[in-house]
Amino acid sequence: MRRAATVVLTSGLLLGASPLAASSATAAPAVPTISAKGAILIDNANGKALYWKDRDTRRQMASTTKIVTAATVLTTPKLDLNRKITIKKTYVDYVIREGGSSAQLKVGDTLTVRQLLSGLMLPSGCDAAYALADTFGTGSTTAARTKSFIGNMNKKAAQLGLKNTKFDSFDGISPGGQNYTTPLELAKLSQHAFSNATFREIVKAPTYQAVATASNGKKRTYTWKNTNLLLGSYKGAVGLKTGTGTAAGPCLVFAATRNGKTYIGVALNGKDRFNDAAKLLDYGFKSSSAKSMKLRSLPADAQRD
């Protein structure tokens, strides 16, 4: 079979040969079989895709939405990561009402933007997402500010030329089912977010401790475990974000670096998402780590997503 020519999409992401069109003259690694209904693996350096499966099919993305929540905050002009934000009862009540994953934030505690970004990305805190959206949106009410923030998330997708991505929430809990993307476009969004050094630092941490100021003036320490089980399990894993929802199924955006080469991948609606990711990364690195990988475990009281 002939290798397909590289093509360039209007989004700017380079796509390489389909994994189904391997050259018979080259001993290529076997194309992985994965559980995810939609997936892609790209080279972070140039956007070239090494593998894809239903790359253009729109799917809900659950809490992988928070990649764009974080990117929207981190690209705010004159951002102060040390800016302090006080946790409102509205944020805590929202998580309880929706049954969302939580950073276990306490009403009246004061945390920095940097701390809340870790609370957003590691335990997948919907309360942290609410606090950031309320802070970085514009308007005279919480509803107006969060709507404004979601609008900025959609503007970011538009600026990247993405036509099959839409957000109706700041955390992936979609009230109207209009929170969707494709593997291709989520990879592009993740590549954009990963270009930020603070983002990279946050998402590669298996654990993070935040010392906050409680409402009584005393100190409270939050300890968050990263829900991305690839970290510490797959050699070179450096991120990115989990997500699980009734409509979305289990989702994972992942990244790993070896010998100066970084791959970013997306697996949407995959029952075996972590092994899917390891197989795809092996395909990129031409390795066999997935066969012996043992996923790290989370403490019983840690968030799952």
Side-chain angles (χ1 to χ4, degrees), residues 2 63 70-71 79 81 120 144 183 185 198 205 216 233 254 274:
R2 292 176 297 178
S63 283
L79 175 67
L81 289 170
L120 171 79
E185 296 196 352
T198 300
N216 61 6
S233 304
F254 52 93
F274 296 111

Side-chain angles (χ1 to χ4, degrees), residues 130-145:
Y130 202 156
L132 291 166
D134 188 26
T135 299
F136 287 92
T138 57
S140 58
T141 65
T142 295
R145 289 189 293 272

Side-chain angles (χ1 to χ4, degrees), residues 88-95 97 107 130 142:
K88 299 178 183 178
K89 187 173 183 293
T90 306
Y91 312 153
V92 176
D93 288 348
Y94 167 77
V95 171
R97 183 175 69 249
V107 177
Y130 202 156
T142 295

Side-chain angles (χ1 to χ4, degrees), residues 80-183:
D80 179 5
L81 289 170
N82 294 316
R83 178 179 177 180
K84 294 182 178 180
I85 298 172
T86 300
I87 305 306
K88 299 178 183 178
K89 187 173 183 293
T90 306
Y91 312 153
V92 176
D93 288 348
Y94 167 77
V95 171
I96 296 171
R97 183 175 69 249
E98 297 294 336
S101 49
S102 173
Q104 303 293 327
L105 300 177
K106 306 299 181 184
V107 177
D109 282 10
T110 301
L111 294 89
T112 66
V113 171
R114 172 62 178 80
Q115 290 171 331
L116 285 172
L117 285 167
S118 286
L120 171 79
M121 298 302 289
L122 273 68
S124 197
C126 296
D127 42 3
Y130 202 156
L132 291 166
D134 188 26
T135 299
F136 287 92
T138 57
S140 58
T141 65
T142 295
R145 289 189 293 272
T146 53
K147 182 178 180 180
S148 163
F149 185 86
I150 295 166
N152 289 335
M153 294 169 66
N154 283 306
K155 287 178 183 177
K156 182 167 290 296
Q159 289 166 357
L160 293 171
L162 310 182
K163 301 183 183 302
N164 288 303
T165 296
K166 183 178 180 181
F167 302 105
D168 68 359
S169 74
F170 47 73
D171 57 3
I173 299 177
S174 177
Q178 294 299 302
N179 199 88
Y180 56 78
T181 189
T182 69

